[in-house]
Amino acid sequence: EQLETESRLLLQGMERLYPPVCCEILQMHFRDGLTFREISQRLSVSETTVYKHLRQALTQLRTYLNEQQNGEN
């Protein structure tokens, strides 16, 4: 139950931080386990676009997590 709550909070945070298409791609890849090709076909975008959105989101997430970790020390 705690994991469900944390997952729900993370998804809500993502929706505030990232553009809708970026959130959708993140969820399709990590939640649904779809490949870049599968996502690109479903969204009618190139695999490169999928990769760029994921890379951008993960970079922002790493920055945020590092800031949070450094702020706690």
Side-chain angles (χ1 to χ4, degrees):
E1 187 171 306
Q2 182 179 354
L3 183 59
E4 259 182 57
T5 302
E6 290 174 355
S7 295
R8 213 172 315 120
L9 289 173
L10 180 59
L11 289 175
Q12 289 172 356
M14 282 176 26
E15 291 169 355
R16 285 181 282 164
L17 291 173
Y18 305 119
V21 68
C22 204
C23 284
E24 186 173 10
I25 289 172
L26 280 167
Q27 290 179 15
M28 292 172 86
H29 185 65
F30 290 107
R31 183 191 63 202
D32 303 335
L34 299 179
T35 65
F36 290 3
R37 177 171 287 166
E38 291 168 329
I39 295 168
S40 72
Q41 291 171 344
R42 288 185 185 196
L43 298 180
S44 299
V45 298
S46 71
E47 287 181 56
T48 302
T49 298
V50 172
Y51 170 79
K52 286 180 181 179
H53 278 293
L54 280 173
R55 183 174 179 185
Q56 176 187 13
L58 292 175
T59 298
Q60 290 174 343
L61 181 59
R62 280 188 200 103
T63 300
Y64 172 77
L65 292 173
N66 284 334
E67 289 171 357
Q68 294 302 307
Q69 184 178 21
N70 292 335
E72 291 180 9
N73 292 332

